[in-house]
Amino acid sequence: MKGPHVQGRPGARFIYLSWGTVDEFGAFTMFRRAKLMLDAVPDEILDASARTCLLVGRLGLTDARGGPLCARVVPPHITWTARPDELT
Protein backbone atom coordinates (compact mmCIF):
# COMPACT_ATOMS: atom_id res chain seq x y z
CA MET A 1 0.00 0.00 0.00
CA LYS A 2 1.50 3.29 -1.07
CA GLY A 3 0.18 6.69 -2.02
CA PRO A 4 0.87 10.38 -1.53
CA HIS A 5 -0.14 10.31 2.17
CA VAL A 6 1.15 6.85 3.10
CA GLN A 7 4.49 6.85 4.91
CA GLY A 8 6.83 4.32 6.47
CA ARG A 9 8.74 1.28 5.29
CA PRO A 10 7.05 -1.84 3.87
CA GLY A 11 5.38 -3.74 6.68
CA ALA A 12 5.13 -0.62 8.84
CA ARG A 13 3.17 1.81 6.67
CA PHE A 14 1.00 4.48 8.28
CA ILE A 15 -0.99 7.65 7.66
CA TYR A 16 -0.61 10.66 9.94
CA LEU A 17 -3.72 12.20 11.47
CA SER A 18 -2.70 15.73 12.47
CA TRP A 19 -4.30 18.17 14.91
CA GLY A 20 -3.65 21.84 14.72
CA THR A 21 -4.98 25.35 14.59
CA VAL A 22 -5.68 27.60 11.63
CA ASP A 23 -5.00 31.31 12.04
CA GLU A 24 -6.86 34.20 10.43
CA PHE A 25 -4.61 33.94 7.35
CA GLY A 26 -5.35 30.24 6.83
CA ALA A 27 -1.96 29.02 8.07
CA PHE A 28 -2.10 25.62 9.78
CA THR A 29 0.05 25.02 12.88
CA MET A 30 0.21 21.38 14.00
CA PHE A 31 0.28 20.65 17.73
CA ARG A 32 -0.24 16.87 17.83
CA ARG A 33 -0.42 13.89 15.47
CA ALA A 34 -1.23 10.20 15.50
CA LYS A 35 0.02 7.36 13.32
CA LEU A 36 -2.81 5.23 11.89
CA MET A 37 -0.96 1.96 11.38
CA LEU A 38 -1.90 0.32 8.09
CA ASP A 39 -0.16 -2.96 8.90
CA ALA A 40 -2.91 -3.46 11.51
CA VAL A 41 -5.62 -3.53 8.81
CA PRO A 42 -6.89 -7.12 8.54
CA ASP A 43 -5.97 -8.77 5.22
CA GLU A 44 -9.60 -9.34 4.20
CA ILE A 45 -10.38 -5.64 4.77
CA LEU A 46 -7.29 -4.60 2.83
CA ASP A 47 -8.28 -6.88 -0.09
CA ALA A 48 -11.84 -5.51 -0.06
CA SER A 49 -10.55 -1.93 0.02
CA ALA A 50 -8.55 -2.61 -3.15
CA ARG A 51 -11.82 -3.61 -4.87
CA THR A 52 -13.93 -0.74 -3.49
CA CYS A 53 -11.13 1.87 -3.61
CA LEU A 54 -12.15 2.83 -0.08
CA LEU A 55 -10.56 2.14 3.28
CA VAL A 56 -12.38 3.61 6.30
CA GLY A 57 -10.87 3.94 9.77
CA ARG A 58 -13.21 4.79 12.65
CA LEU A 59 -11.67 5.96 15.89
CA GLY A 60 -12.30 8.17 18.87
CA LEU A 61 -10.30 11.35 18.72
CA THR A 62 -9.54 11.73 22.43
CA ASP A 63 -7.27 9.75 24.71
CA ALA A 64 -8.07 8.47 28.21
CA ARG A 65 -7.31 11.92 29.68
CA GLY A 66 -9.56 13.76 27.20
CA GLY A 67 -6.72 15.16 25.11
CA PRO A 68 -6.16 14.61 21.39
CA LEU A 69 -5.37 11.00 20.55
CA CYS A 70 -1.72 10.67 19.60
CA ALA A 71 1.07 8.14 19.07
CA ARG A 72 0.56 4.76 17.36
CA VAL A 73 -3.11 3.85 16.74
CA VAL A 74 -4.04 0.18 16.29
CA PRO A 75 -7.14 -1.91 17.07
CA PRO A 76 -9.11 -1.78 19.31
CA HIS A 77 -8.64 2.02 19.17
CA ILE A 78 -9.44 1.98 15.44
CA THR A 79 -11.83 -0.16 13.41
CA TRP A 80 -11.12 -0.65 9.71
CA THR A 81 -13.78 -1.31 7.03
CA ALA A 82 -13.91 -1.16 3.24
CA ARG A 83 -17.63 -0.72 2.54
CA PRO A 84 -18.61 2.36 0.50
CA ASP A 85 -21.85 2.68 2.51
CA GLU A 86 -19.79 3.34 5.66
CA LEU A 87 -19.66 7.03 4.71
CA THR A 88 -23.41 7.55 4.40
Side-chain angles (χ1 to χ4, degrees):
M1 180 180 289
K2 193 73 173 145
H5 303 289
V6 177
Q7 299 186 38
R9 59 179 167 66
R13 301 239 194 256
F14 62 90
I15 298 171
Y16 276 123
L17 176 61
S18 300
W19 280 265
T21 59
V22 178
D23 67 18
E24 65 273 14
F25 304 106
F28 176 79
T29 303
M30 184 184 67
F31 63 82
R32 181 101 33 141
R33 67 182 177 183
K35 282 184 178 181
L36 307 183
M37 303 306 297
L38 297 174
D39 61 333
V41 178
D43 290 338
E44 64 276 8
I45 301 294
L46 199 55
D47 292 343
S49 73
R51 291 190 302 276
T52 63
C53 296
L54 178 68
L55 178 62
V56 177
R58 293 195 182 274
L59 66 154
L61 298 179
T62 55
D63 62 19
R65 296 180 304 209
L69 184 67
C70 65
R72 189 174 183 270
V73 180
V74 296
H77 300 290
I78 188 166
T79 302
W80 295 103
T81 58
R83 296 181 7 223
D85 61 335
E86 286 288 318
L87 296 179
T88 59

